[in-house]
Amino acid sequence: MSRPDSDRLLLDAEADVRPSPRAAAARRALLAHPALLLVGIVLASLNMRAALASVSPLVGEIGEGFGLSSTATSLITSVPVLFLGLGALVAPWLARRFGTEPVLLAALVLLGVGILVRVVPSVFAVYGGGVLVGTAIALLNVLMPGLIKRDFPDRAAAMTSVYTGAMIAGATVAAAASVPLEKAFGGSWEASLACWSLLAALAAAAWLPQVLIARGRTGHEVRASPAGGAPAGSVWRSALAWQVTLFMGLQSLWTYVLIAWMPTILTDAGMDRSAAGVVFAFNNLMQVAGAFGVPLLAGRMRGQRPLVVLVTSLVGAGYVGLMVAPAAAPWLPWLWSAVLGVGQGGAVGLALTMIVLRSGDALTAARLSGMAQTVGYLLAAAGPLAAGAVYQATGSWTVPIALVLGVCAAALVVGLFAARDRKV
């Protein structure tokens, strides 16, 4: 017999719990307003890349303003990605200690603070704010798959498409609006970036009811103890878990190279900075199609190998275009942007969906999510920094892009293993 819907919310992403009667009643009340939970998920997801994508069209100007080299400028985008990995290390512990909903709320508050710190007129504040931004997004990244596995166990793939689509939509709007906002504020990149703290504040306000419901208005979170499931360290000893993790990391690496450097690649090829920002925003817009469509297809397939081939081929083709003829004709940047976008969005959606599909329960999903995003983003953090360093050494984007094509080939190999119909 299936577990009644009213009991599903009694499961934390990390463990079964025994809530107080008032907490149980509050959780059941949430089922009467599922739209409230959906709104909270969508608004939180909108923030999961916006703070990163908003920097990319302005990163060259920020680096010039502080007199930074290409390598030092790349740290503006690499530092947050590094802390996407480091922050993922503590996310499962924080959720076990304080509960998933309060940690998600705290992450949104921290994100808003980090965005504001980043615009303080100091290069150390730019990097320090990046630390806070990366840590906050890491908490959102890691806890969202477990939350979806817990609260939408029968619609996990569909809900994954919703939150990944919202995540990329937020990045699209941020990338498109950064330069226009800068111009609207009289050439102030600081004011342009600071605007995105308002989106984080809105999401935090929308998430507050979830915290109150989870706590049952008792003033404290019910503590939980594991009840069954695999031992905590078992995912780290699973070959399948490592294959999922490496696919997550490699697709993140090629994505964050583009987030950091795509506008610069296009401006170096002769495009206007504003036009390059719009093409970059179009890239993010096209990611929405892949992020929505691929998880839905993945959920209908026993194995996802054809989708791995599809997304890695699209990304590889787009990178070849940027290397060979980035802007030889006015329409070419748009073509490469579209091909890359569908591949990137499909890849991240597939990686997150495989975390859910390869997990037998919410506990395993939370642990696999923590592992995949810790290792994956630590790996991805090397991408923008390495690309910037190689570009500075060679004076050309040919070698950095060739190295990313090697990443695409590696992702294809590990993805074919990760896409098998097996459970961690």
Side-chain angles (χ1 to χ4, degrees), residues 265-326:
I265 292 171
L266 295 175
T267 54
D268 284 354
M271 286 193 73
D272 175 75
R273 188 168 67 91
S274 295
V278 174
V279 172
F280 176 62
F282 179 66
N283 168 262
N284 283 273
L285 177 63
M286 294 305 296
Q287 289 182 47
V288 176
F292 270 116
V294 170
L296 292 175
L297 291 173
R300 291 176 169 85
M301 303 167 68
R302 293 182 61 85
Q304 293 77 38
R305 286 181 167 182
L307 296 177
V308 171
V309 174
L310 174 64
V311 298
T312 54
S313 298
L314 287 172
V315 172
Y319 264 112
V320 168
L322 285 182
M323 180 172 65
V324 174

Coordinates of all heavy atoms in Angstrom, one line a residue, residues 265-326:
I265 N 34.9 36.2 -25.1 CA 35.2 35.6 -26.3 C 34.6 36.3 -27.5 O 35.2 36.5 -28.6 CB 34.8 34.1 -26.3 CG1 35.6 33.3 -25.3 CG2 34.9 33.5 -27.7 CD1 35.0 31.9 -25.0
L266 N 33.3 36.7 -27.4 CA 32.6 37.4 -28.5 C 33.2 38.8 -28.7 O 33.3 39.3 -29.8 CB 31.1 37.4 -28.2 CG 30.5 36.0 -28.2 CD1 29.0 36.1 -27.7 CD2 30.6 35.3 -29.5
T267 N 33.5 39.5 -27.6 CA 34.0 40.9 -27.8 C 35.4 40.8 -28.4 O 35.8 41.7 -29.2 CB 34.0 41.6 -26.4 OG1 34.7 40.9 -25.4 CG2 32.6 41.9 -25.9
D268 N 36.2 39.8 -28.0 CA 37.5 39.7 -28.6 C 37.4 39.4 -30.1 O 38.3 39.7 -30.9 CB 38.3 38.6 -27.9 CG 38.8 39.0 -26.6 OD1 38.7 40.2 -26.2 OD2 39.4 38.1 -25.9
A269 N 36.3 38.8 -30.5 CA 36.0 38.5 -31.9 C 35.5 39.7 -32.7 O 35.2 39.6 -33.9 CB 35.1 37.3 -32.1
G270 N 35.3 40.8 -32.0 CA 34.8 42.0 -32.6 C 33.4 42.5 -32.3 O 33.0 43.5 -32.9
M271 N 32.7 41.8 -31.5 CA 31.3 42.2 -31.1 C 31.3 43.4 -30.1 O 32.2 43.5 -29.3 CB 30.5 41.0 -30.5 CG 30.1 40.0 -31.5 SD 28.9 38.9 -30.8 CE 27.4 40.0 -30.8
D272 N 30.3 44.2 -30.2 CA 30.1 45.2 -29.2 C 29.8 44.5 -27.8 O 29.1 43.5 -27.8 CB 28.9 46.1 -29.6 CG 28.5 47.1 -28.6 OD1 29.2 48.1 -28.4 OD2 27.5 46.9 -27.9
R273 N 30.2 45.2 -26.7 CA 30.0 44.6 -25.4 C 28.5 44.4 -25.1 O 28.1 43.3 -24.5 CB 30.6 45.5 -24.3 CG 30.7 44.9 -23.0 CD 31.6 45.7 -22.0 NE 31.0 47.0 -21.8 CZ 30.2 47.3 -20.7 NH1 29.9 46.3 -19.9 NH2 29.8 48.5 -20.5
S274 N 27.7 45.3 -25.4 CA 26.2 45.2 -25.2 C 25.7 44.0 -26.0 O 24.9 43.2 -25.5 CB 25.5 46.5 -25.5 OG 25.9 47.5 -24.6
A275 N 26.1 44.0 -27.3 CA 25.6 42.9 -28.1 C 26.1 41.5 -27.6 O 25.3 40.5 -27.6 CB 26.1 43.1 -29.6
A276 N 27.3 41.5 -27.1 CA 27.8 40.2 -26.6 C 27.0 39.8 -25.4 O 26.7 38.6 -25.1 CB 29.3 40.3 -26.2
G277 N 26.6 40.8 -24.5 CA 25.8 40.5 -23.4 C 24.4 39.9 -23.8 O 23.9 39.0 -23.1
V278 N 23.8 40.5 -24.8 CA 22.5 40.0 -25.3 C 22.7 38.6 -25.9 O 21.8 37.7 -25.6 CB 22.0 40.9 -26.4 CG1 20.7 40.4 -27.0 CG2 21.7 42.3 -25.8
V279 N 23.7 38.3 -26.6 CA 23.9 36.9 -27.1 C 24.1 35.9 -25.9 O 23.6 34.8 -26.0 CB 25.1 36.9 -28.1 CG1 25.5 35.4 -28.4 CG2 24.9 37.7 -29.3
F280 N 24.9 36.4 -24.9 CA 25.0 35.5 -23.7 C 23.7 35.3 -23.1 O 23.4 34.2 -22.6 CB 26.0 36.2 -22.8 CG 26.2 35.5 -21.5 CD1 26.7 34.2 -21.5 CD2 25.9 36.1 -20.3 CE1 26.9 33.5 -20.3 CE2 26.1 35.4 -19.1 CZ 26.6 34.1 -19.1
A281 N 22.9 36.3 -23.0 CA 21.5 36.1 -22.4 C 20.7 35.1 -23.3 O 19.9 34.3 -22.7 CB 20.8 37.5 -22.3
F282 N 20.8 35.2 -24.6 CA 20.1 34.3 -25.5 C 20.6 32.9 -25.2 O 19.8 31.9 -25.3 CB 20.4 34.7 -26.9 CG 19.7 33.8 -27.9 CD1 18.4 33.7 -28.1 CD2 20.5 33.0 -28.8 CE1 17.8 32.9 -29.0 CE2 19.9 32.2 -29.7 CZ 18.6 32.1 -29.8
N283 N 21.9 32.7 -25.0 CA 22.4 31.4 -24.6 C 21.7 30.8 -23.4 O 21.3 29.7 -23.3 CB 23.9 31.5 -24.3 CG 24.5 30.3 -23.7 OD1 24.7 30.2 -22.5 ND2 24.8 29.2 -24.5
N284 N 21.5 31.7 -22.4 CA 20.8 31.3 -21.2 C 19.3 31.0 -21.4 O 18.7 30.0 -20.9 CB 20.9 32.3 -20.1 CG 22.3 32.3 -19.4 OD1 22.5 31.6 -18.4 ND2 23.2 33.1 -19.9
L285 N 18.7 31.8 -22.3 CA 17.3 31.5 -22.7 C 17.2 30.2 -23.4 O 16.2 29.4 -23.1 CB 16.8 32.7 -23.6 CG 15.4 32.5 -24.2 CD1 14.4 32.6 -23.0 CD2 15.1 33.6 -25.2
M286 N 18.1 29.8 -24.2 CA 18.0 28.5 -24.9 C 18.2 27.4 -24.0 O 17.8 26.3 -24.2 CB 19.0 28.5 -26.1 CG 18.7 29.5 -27.2 SD 17.0 29.3 -27.9 CE 17.1 27.6 -28.6
Q287 N 18.9 27.6 -22.9 CA 19.1 26.6 -21.9 C 17.8 26.2 -21.2 O 17.7 25.0 -20.8 CB 20.1 27.1 -20.8 CG 21.5 27.2 -21.2 CD 22.4 27.6 -20.1 OE1 22.4 27.0 -19.0 NE2 23.3 28.6 -20.3
V288 N 16.8 27.1 -21.2 CA 15.6 26.7 -20.6 C 14.9 25.6 -21.4 O 14.3 24.7 -20.8 CB 14.6 28.0 -20.6 CG1 13.2 27.6 -20.1 CG2 15.2 29.1 -19.7
A289 N 15.0 25.6 -22.7 CA 14.4 24.5 -23.5 C 15.0 23.2 -23.1 O 14.3 22.2 -22.9 CB 14.6 24.8 -25.0
G290 N 16.3 23.1 -23.0 CA 17.0 21.9 -22.7 C 16.7 21.5 -21.2 O 16.4 20.3 -20.9
A291 N 16.7 22.5 -20.3 CA 16.4 22.1 -18.9 C 15.0 21.6 -18.6 O 14.8 20.8 -17.7 CB 16.7 23.4 -18.1
F292 N 14.1 22.1 -19.4 CA 12.7 21.6 -19.2 C 12.5 20.3 -20.0 O 11.9 19.4 -19.4 CB 11.7 22.6 -19.8 CG 11.2 23.6 -18.8 CD1 11.5 25.0 -19.0 CD2 10.4 23.3 -17.7 CE1 11.0 25.9 -18.1 CE2 10.0 24.2 -16.8 CZ 10.3 25.5 -17.0
G293 N 13.0 20.2 -21.2 CA 12.7 19.0 -22.0 C 13.4 17.8 -21.6 O 12.9 16.7 -21.6
V294 N 14.7 17.9 -21.4 CA 15.6 16.7 -21.1 C 15.1 15.9 -19.9 O 15.0 14.7 -19.9 CB 17.1 17.0 -21.1 CG1 17.9 15.9 -20.6 CG2 17.5 17.4 -22.5
P295 N 14.9 16.6 -18.7 CA 14.5 15.8 -17.6 C 13.1 15.1 -17.8 O 12.9 14.0 -17.3 CB 14.3 16.9 -16.5 CG 15.3 18.0 -16.9 CD 15.2 18.0 -18.4
L296 N 12.2 15.7 -18.5 CA 11.0 15.0 -18.8 C 11.2 13.8 -19.7 O 10.6 12.7 -19.4 CB 10.0 16.0 -19.5 CG 9.5 17.2 -18.7 CD1 8.6 18.1 -19.6 CD2 8.7 16.7 -17.5
L297 N 12.1 13.9 -20.7 CA 12.4 12.7 -21.5 C 13.1 11.7 -20.6 O 12.9 10.5 -20.7 CB 13.3 13.1 -22.6 CG 12.6 14.0 -23.7 CD1 13.6 14.4 -24.7 CD2 11.5 13.2 -24.4
A298 N 14.0 12.1 -19.8 CA 14.8 11.2 -18.9 C 13.9 10.4 -18.0 O 14.1 9.2 -17.8 CB 15.9 12.0 -18.1
G299 N 12.9 11.0 -17.5 CA 12.0 10.4 -16.6 C 11.1 9.3 -17.2 O 10.6 8.4 -16.6
R300 N 11.1 9.3 -18.6 CA 10.3 8.3 -19.3 C 11.2 7.2 -19.9 O 10.7 6.3 -20.6 CB 9.5 9.0 -20.5 CG 8.4 9.9 -20.0 CD 7.8 10.6 -21.2 NE 6.5 11.3 -20.8 CZ 6.5 12.5 -20.3 NH1 7.6 13.2 -20.1 NH2 5.3 13.0 -20.0
M301 N 12.5 7.2 -19.6 CA 13.4 6.3 -20.1 C 14.0 5.4 -19.0 O 14.3 6.0 -17.9 CB 14.5 7.0 -20.9 CG 14.0 7.9 -22.0 SD 15.2 9.0 -22.7 CE 16.3 7.8 -23.5
R302 N 14.2 4.2 -19.2 CA 14.9 3.3 -18.2 C 16.4 3.7 -18.1 O 16.9 3.7 -17.0 CB 14.7 1.8 -18.6 CG 13.3 1.4 -18.5 CD 13.2 -0.1 -18.8 NE 14.0 -0.9 -17.9 CZ 13.6 -1.4 -16.7 NH1 12.3 -1.0 -16.3 NH2 14.3 -2.1 -16.0
G303 N 17.0 4.0 -19.2 CA 18.4 4.5 -19.2 C 18.4 5.7 -20.1 O 17.6 5.9 -21.0
Q304 N 19.4 6.6 -19.8 CA 19.4 7.9 -20.5 C 20.6 8.1 -21.4 O 21.0 9.2 -21.7 CB 19.4 9.0 -19.4 CG 18.1 9.1 -18.6 CD 18.0 8.0 -17.5 OE1 19.0 7.6 -16.9 NE2 16.8 7.5 -17.3
R305 N 21.2 7.0 -21.9 CA 22.4 7.1 -22.7 C 22.1 8.0 -24.0 O 23.0 8.8 -24.3 CB 22.9 5.7 -23.1 CG 23.6 5.0 -21.9 CD 24.1 3.7 -22.3 NE 25.0 3.2 -21.3 CZ 25.7 2.0 -21.4 NH1 25.5 1.2 -22.4 NH2 26.5 1.6 -20.4
P306 N 21.0 7.8 -24.7 CA 20.8 8.7 -25.9 C 20.9 10.2 -25.5 O 21.3 11.0 -26.3 CB 19.5 8.3 -26.4 CG 19.3 6.9 -25.9 CD 19.9 6.8 -24.6
L307 N 20.4 10.5 -24.4 CA 20.3 11.9 -23.9 C 21.8 12.4 -23.6 O 22.1 13.6 -23.9 CB 19.4 12.1 -22.7 CG 18.0 11.8 -23.0 CD1 17.2 12.0 -21.7 CD2 17.4 12.7 -24.1
V308 N 22.6 11.5 -23.1 CA 24.0 11.9 -22.8 C 24.7 12.2 -24.1 O 25.4 13.2 -24.2 CB 24.7 10.7 -22.1 CG1 26.2 11.0 -22.0 CG2 24.2 10.6 -20.7
V309 N 24.5 11.4 -25.1 CA 25.1 11.6 -26.4 C 24.6 12.9 -27.0 O 25.4 13.7 -27.6 CB 24.8 10.4 -27.4 CG1 25.3 10.7 -28.8 CG2 25.4 9.1 -26.9
L310 N 23.3 13.2 -26.9 CA 22.7 14.4 -27.5 C 23.3 15.6 -26.9 O 23.8 16.5 -27.6 CB 21.2 14.3 -27.3 CG 20.4 15.6 -27.7 CD1 20.6 15.8 -29.2 CD2 19.0 15.5 -27.3
V311 N 23.3 15.7 -25.5 CA 23.7 17.0 -24.9 C 25.2 17.2 -25.0 O 25.6 18.4 -25.3 CB 23.3 17.0 -23.4 CG1 21.8 16.9 -23.3 CG2 23.9 15.9 -22.6
T312 N 26.0 16.2 -24.9 CA 27.5 16.4 -25.1 C 27.8 16.7 -26.5 O 28.7 17.6 -26.8 CB 28.3 15.1 -24.7 OG1 27.8 14.0 -25.4 CG2 28.1 14.9 -23.2
S313 N 27.1 16.2 -27.5 CA 27.4 16.5 -28.9 C 27.0 18.0 -29.2 O 27.7 18.7 -29.9 CB 26.6 15.6 -29.8 OG 27.0 14.2 -29.7
L314 N 25.9 18.4 -28.7 CA 25.5 19.8 -28.9 C 26.5 20.8 -28.3 O 26.9 21.8 -28.9 CB 24.1 20.1 -28.3 CG 22.9 19.4 -29.0 CD1 21.6 19.6 -28.2 CD2 22.7 20.1 -30.4
V315 N 26.9 20.5 -27.1 CA 27.9 21.4 -26.4 C 29.2 21.4 -27.2 O 29.8 22.4 -27.4 CB 28.1 21.0 -24.9 CG1 29.3 21.8 -24.3 CG2 26.8 21.2 -24.2
G316 N 29.7 20.2 -27.6 CA 30.9 20.1 -28.4 C 30.8 20.9 -29.7 O 31.8 21.6 -30.0
A317 N 29.7 20.8 -30.4 CA 29.5 21.5 -31.6 C 29.5 23.0 -31.4 O 30.1 23.7 -32.2 CB 28.2 21.0 -32.3
G318 N 28.9 23.4 -30.4 CA 28.9 24.9 -30.1 C 30.2 25.4 -29.8 O 30.6 26.5 -30.2
Y319 N 31.0 24.7 -29.0 CA 32.4 25.1 -28.7 C 33.3 25.1 -29.9 O 34.1 26.0 -30.1 CB 33.0 24.2 -27.6 CG 32.8 24.8 -26.2 CD1 32.0 24.1 -25.2 CD2 33.5 25.9 -25.8 CE1 31.9 24.6 -24.0 CE2 33.4 26.4 -24.5 CZ 32.6 25.8 -23.6 OH 32.5 26.3 -22.3
V320 N 33.1 24.1 -30.8 CA 33.9 24.2 -32.1 C 33.5 25.4 -32.8 O 34.4 26.1 -33.4 CB 33.5 22.9 -32.9 CG1 34.1 23.1 -34.3 CG2 34.1 21.7 -32.2
G321 N 32.3 25.8 -32.9 CA 31.9 27.0 -33.5 C 32.5 28.3 -33.0 O 33.0 29.1 -33.7
L322 N 32.6 28.4 -31.6 CA 33.3 29.5 -31.0 C 34.8 29.5 -31.3 O 35.4 30.6 -31.3 CB 33.0 29.4 -29.5 CG 31.7 29.8 -28.9 CD1 31.7 29.8 -27.4 CD2 31.3 31.2 -29.4
M323 N 35.3 28.3 -31.4 CA 36.8 28.3 -31.7 C 37.1 28.6 -33.1 O 38.1 29.4 -33.4 CB 37.3 26.9 -31.4 CG 38.8 26.7 -31.6 SD 39.4 25.1 -31.0 CE 38.6 24.0 -32.1
V324 N 36.3 28.1 -34.1 CA 36.6 28.3 -35.5 C 36.1 29.6 -36.1 O 36.9 30.3 -36.8 CB 36.0 27.1 -36.3 CG1 36.3 27.3 -37.8 CG2 36.7 25.8 -35.8
A325 N 34.9 30.0 -35.8 CA 34.3 31.2 -36.4 C 33.3 31.8 -35.4 O 32.1 31.7 -35.6 CB 33.6 30.8 -37.7
P326 N 33.8 32.4 -34.3 CA 32.9 32.9 -33.3 C 31.9 34.0 -33.8 O 30.8 34.1 -33.4 CB 33.8 33.5 -32.2 CG 35.1 33.7 -32.9 CD 35.2 32.7 -34.0

